[in-house]
Amino acid sequence: MAIRRDARRSEALRLETTFTRDFPEQMLTLQIGDAISSPGAWGRAVRFAGVKFGTNFATQPTLVTTPFVTATGEATVPSTADVFVNGRQVSSEQLPPGPFTLDGIPALNGAGEVQVVVTDALGRQQVIAQPYYTGPALLRAGLSEYSIDVGAIRRDYGQLGNAYGDLVGSGTYRRGLSDQLTAELHAEGQQDGPLAVGLDTAVRLGWFGVATLTAAVGGEGGDQGWLAGLGFERSAQRVSVFLRTQYASESFAQLGTAAETLRFRQNVFGGLGFNLARLGSLQLAYAMRSYWSAPQSESFGASYSLSLGDYGFLSVSANHQRGEDDDTDLLLYWTTPLGGRRTASAGLRYSPDLEDGERVEAVATLQQSAPAGTGHGYRVSVSSNQDAQLGASYRGRAAQAEVEYAHRNDSDGWRASALGGFAITEAGVMPTRWLDRSFAVVEVAGYEGLTVFADNQPIGRTDSKGRILLDNLRPYESNPISIDPLELPIEAGIDRARIELTPAYRSGAVVEFPVSRESSATFRLRLPDGSAVPPGAVVEIADRTWPVALDGLVYAKHAGATGGVARWRGGQCRFELQASAAADPIRDLGRVACLPEQSP
C-alpha cells in the first residue's frame, strides 16, 4: 500500500494484496487476491482480484522446456561419441557397432549446430554435423502448461484502492504435440462484456526458424468478429529476424477492450539483427498500428553498437515516428568503466520535442553503483540546457536509503527514500533490507566478523552471534554461498567453504554453515617407566587418528575429556584426557600417562 500527502489531499491507498503458494514438485502456483491474467499468445492481460492457478516452470529452473535435439549416425566398431553443441561439449558415451541415435541433447535457443565426434579404438574419427533450430515458442513433445484465472476486474489501479468491476475469467492451455508443433488454446470473457476464444500454433520449419499462426473469434453482444495472425522468428549467431502481424475485423472484441473507443485493424512488428563481430551489431525495427476509425501510426528504428575495448562502449540510435505528426529522434551515447563500480558516460541527443526551443542536448554522467553488500553509491549528471541531477544511496545491513536532487526548467526538487524491515526466524529477530525476494539466515558457529559471499560477491560480516541475513536470493535456483577459510580462528574446523542454497519463492531459510568449534590440544604421552611413546605411533580419539611426534608429542582436535589409545609396532597403550578450563585456542595438557595393553 502507499500513503500519500500533498497540498490537496491525504490518503492511504491499497495497491495489491496477494497470497502465493508454490508446489515445486508439480510445477504449479496458486495465487489468491490481486493478480494479472495470463493473456496467451494473442489475448490481453488485465488486473483482477480472485484466484489464479496454473503451471509455473520457474519452480524447476533446470527443466528444459524446449525440444531436445537428436543426432544419428553409424559406428563400424565399438566407439566413443563426444557430443558438441555450438562447439561446446555437452556429453560423451560409449557406442556399440551399428547405427545409433542420440536423444535428449539439450540445445540453446536459436539456430545452431550439433556435432558428434565418433572415435574408434584405433583413434580414427568421423564427425557428424547437423544444424538445428529451437525457440521459446516451442514446447518439448508431451510437455504442457496451463493457467486458469477467475475474479473481478480491477478498476482505476493506482488511483482507487478497492474498486472492482465485472467478473472476468480466462483459461490457457499449451502443449507440445511434437518437437515440431506446439498448440495453444485460449479463452477469455467478461460479465456483460466481450467473449473470445482462439488457437495459436508454433511450427518449427526444420533448422530455418519457427512460424506461428493465430486464429480467434470474439465479440460483444450480438456483434462477433475475428482475428488472424502470422509470425516468423529466426535467431542466429550472425543474422536474426522477427516478424509478426495481426489483423482484426471491426466487430472483434476481447477482454480489456470494452471501454476502448478505437478498435485496432492491424498490428505489424518486425526486426532484423546483424552481428558484425568486431565491427559491432546493428538492429533495424519497424512497427505499425492501424485503426478502424483513426489514422494509422508507424515507427522506424535503427541502432548500432560497438565495443571500444578499454575505451568503453559506443551506441547510436535513430527513431522516426510517422503519423499525424512526424518526429525524428537521434541519440549518440558513450560509456566507459572506471573501475571500482564507477562508470562515466556522455550522450548527445537530437529531438524536436526538447524544451526551450532547443533541439540538441548534451549530457554527461558520472556514477558509482552501490555494492551487493553494504556500501554507498552516487550519481551526478549535468546537461547543456543547465539541467542537473544529483543522487546518493547507501545500502546497510538493516536498511537502504537514497537522496536525490534535480534542477529542470528553472525549478528545483528533491526526494528522500528509505526501505527496511526485519525477519522473524528460528535464528532470532534480525533487521534487514527490503525483502521482496527469497532470503536466508546463515549461521557460522557463533563466529563474529566473518565475511560471507553470495555469487562470489561480499555481502557482509557475521554479527556477534555469528549470523548474517542474505537477501535477494534467486528462488528455486542454486545460490552459491561461501566464506574465506583464512578468516576462521585456528580452533575452527570446516568441512567445506562453499554451500548451495535453493530457497522457495519469497521464503526464508536458516542454514548452519559446516563450521564447528573444535577443542584442540597438545599433550605428551608417557609410559609407566617415564619413557615417551615412540614416534610414528598412531593415536585414536573418537574414531579419528593423529600421529605421534618426537618425545611423545601429539596434536589432536576434538580433544575434550575423553579417552584414547596409542598403537605402534609391537605395542599399544591407553590413556585418559582431562578437561581443561584454559580458554586458549590450543590447550597444552602436559604429560599424560599411557598404560600399556596387550596388542591384539
Side-chain angles (χ1 to χ4, degrees):
M1 62 185 306
I3 300 175
R4 300 187 299 204
R5 181 181 181 182
D6 54 34
R8 294 177 300 171
R9 59 181 178 177
S10 298
E11 64 176 352
L13 179 67
R14 188 184 65 85
L15 298 175
E16 291 183 342
T17 307
T18 306
F19 170 80
T20 303
R21 172 68 186 273
D22 290 332
F23 303 90
E25 296 81 4
Q26 295 80 26
M27 293 184 294
L28 296 173
T29 293
L30 170 67
Q31 285 184 265
I32 301 175
D34 294 301
I36 299 176
S37 66
S38 299
W42 56 268
R44 298 185 58 172
V46 297
R47 290 186 179 273
F48 73 99
V51 178
K52 181 181 181 68
F53 182 72
T55 308
N56 185 1
F57 289 140
T59 60
Q60 297 284 352
T62 59
L63 176 71
V64 179
T65 61
T66 54
F68 288 121
V69 177
T70 300
T72 60
E74 184 173 358
T76 57
V77 296
S79 306
T80 300
D82 297 312
V83 182
F84 296 82
V85 176
N86 293 340
R88 180 179 179 182
Q89 186 172 1
V90 296
S91 67
S92 179
E93 59 182 275
Q94 301 297 318
L95 298 177
F100 65 85
T101 300
L102 302 178
D103 295 317
I105 301 175
L108 300 176
N109 283 338
E113 184 180 67
V114 173
Q115 291 183 327
V116 180
V117 180
V118 181
T119 307
D120 63 18
L122 299 178
R124 296 174 299 187
Q125 291 184 337
Q126 61 169 321
V127 179
I128 304 169
Q130 62 184 62
Y132 75 86
Y133 190 89
T134 187
L138 297 169
L139 281 181
R140 199 173 70 232
L143 188 65
S144 62
E145 63 174 331
Y146 66 90
S147 177
I148 301 173
D149 312 316
V150 178
I153 196 167
R154 186 77 183 263
R155 295 171 47 201
D156 299 322
Y157 176 79
Q159 299 180 15
L160 299 176
N162 297 285
Y164 298 95
D166 296 337
L167 291 177
V168 294
S170 68
T172 306
Y173 179 77
R174 184 165 169 253
R175 182 174 178 84
L177 302 179
S178 69
D179 284 344
Q180 289 74 37
L181 177 62
T182 297
E184 175 189 290
L185 179 64
H186 176 77
E188 58 187 24
Q190 179 176 340
Q191 180 186 16
D192 299 327
L195 300 172
V197 61
L199 178 69
D200 182 84
T201 58
V203 183
R204 184 169 66 178
L205 305 177
W207 55 266
F208 187 64
V210 173
T212 57
L213 301 172
T214 303
V217 294
E220 187 174 3
D223 296 329
Q224 297 294 316
W226 54 270
L227 176 143
L230 176 66
F232 173 78
E233 69 172 38
R234 173 178 169 80
S235 177
Q237 184 176 3
R238 292 296 183 186
V239 180
S240 299
V241 59
F242 176 83
L243 177 64
R244 188 172 183 89
T245 180
Q246 288 183 339
Y247 187 92
S249 67
E250 188 173 5
S251 300
F252 179 77
Q254 60 187 126
L255 193 62
T257 62
E260 291 188 355
T261 57
L262 295 179
R263 297 285 178 90
F264 88 92
R265 173 186 289 185
Q266 186 177 15
N267 285 333
V268 178
F269 178 76
L272 278 173
F274 301 91
N275 182 356
L276 306 178
R278 294 183 179 180
L279 298 179
S281 61
L282 175 66
Q283 291 81 35
L284 304 174
Y286 170 76
M288 185 275 288
R289 186 175 180 90
S290 63
Y291 304 88
W292 284 100
S293 57
Q296 73 177 29
S297 60
E298 292 179 284
S299 174
F300 304 86
S303 64
Y304 173 76
S305 58
L306 176 66
S307 174
L308 304 177
D310 295 337
Y311 297 99
F313 184 82
L314 180 69
S315 65
V316 181
S317 63
N319 186 71
H320 176 71
Q321 299 281 348
R322 188 165 66 184
E324 295 183 359
D325 297 319
D326 290 356
D327 292 330
T328 300
D329 290 343
L330 301 175
L331 177 64
L332 174 65
Y333 193 79
W334 169 78
T335 181
T336 183
L338 301 178
R341 309 190 315 276
R342 295 189 304 273
T343 59
S345 60
L348 188 65
R349 178 189 175 194
Y350 167 83
S351 175
D353 294 332
L354 292 176
E355 299 173 356
D356 298 330
E358 299 289 341
R359 289 179 175 267
V360 179
E361 179 185 18
V363 180
T365 302
L366 175 66
Q367 67 179 22
Q368 175 179 289
S369 60
T374 58
H376 68 279
Y378 60 82
R379 185 175 188 272
V380 180
S381 179
V382 294
S383 70
S384 59
N385 59 8
Q386 299 182 351
D387 291 345
Q389 290 183 345
L390 304 176
S393 62
Y394 178 77
R395 290 171 58 91
R397 176 179 293 180
Q400 58 193 58
E402 185 174 8
V403 178
E404 297 174 279
Y405 163 80
H407 175 83
R408 187 172 183 85
N409 298 333
D410 297 325
S411 297
D412 298 297
W414 66 273
R415 174 172 59 192
S417 62
L419 291 172
F422 61 90
I424 304 175
T425 71
E426 61 184 24
V429 179
M430 299 184 65
T432 178
R433 296 188 288 253
W434 183 254
L435 294 178
D436 60 350
R437 298 187 68 182
S438 303
F439 67 97
V441 177
V442 176
E443 298 180 310
V444 192
Y447 289 114
E448 181 181 2
L450 299 181
T451 305
V452 178
F453 300 80
D455 287 325
N456 297 321
Q457 297 293 320
I459 301 301
R461 294 181 177 272
T462 53
D463 61 13
S464 58
K465 297 182 180 180
R467 308 169 304 174
I468 185 172
L469 191 146
L470 306 178
D471 59 350
N472 211 31
L473 299 181
R474 299 181 302 275
Y476 302 112
E477 294 186 27
S478 179
N479 295 264
I481 310 300
S482 59
I483 61 174
D484 185 357
L486 298 179
E487 292 186 349
L488 291 171
I490 192 171
E491 78 273 9
I494 180 171
D495 293 334
R496 60 186 186 276
R498 177 188 173 107
I499 60 176
E500 303 285 338
L501 298 183
T502 308
Y505 172 69
R506 296 192 71 168
S507 70
V510 177
V511 181
E512 293 185 4
F513 214 91
V515 173
S516 60
R517 291 180 178 267
E518 297 183 339
S519 179
S520 302
T522 59
F523 53 92
R524 288 171 170 80
L525 290 177
R526 290 290 186 267
L527 296 173
D529 59 3
S531 62
V533 170
V538 176
V539 169
E540 181 179 339
I541 303 175
D543 297 329
R544 300 184 68 177
T545 59
W546 314 95
V548 178
L550 295 174
D551 195 31
L553 179 64
V554 179
Y555 167 76
K557 295 182 179 181
H558 302 295
T562 184
V565 60
R567 296 187 177 91
W568 64 93
R569 178 176 293 182
Q572 70 176 39
C573 62
R574 184 171 295 277
F575 59 89
E576 295 289 335
L577 299 177
Q578 303 298 321
S580 172
D584 297 334
I586 302 179
R587 298 166 294 124
D588 186 5
L589 301 182
R591 295 188 175 187
V592 176
C594 196
L595 303 179
E597 291 184 344
Q598 185 176 0
S599 301

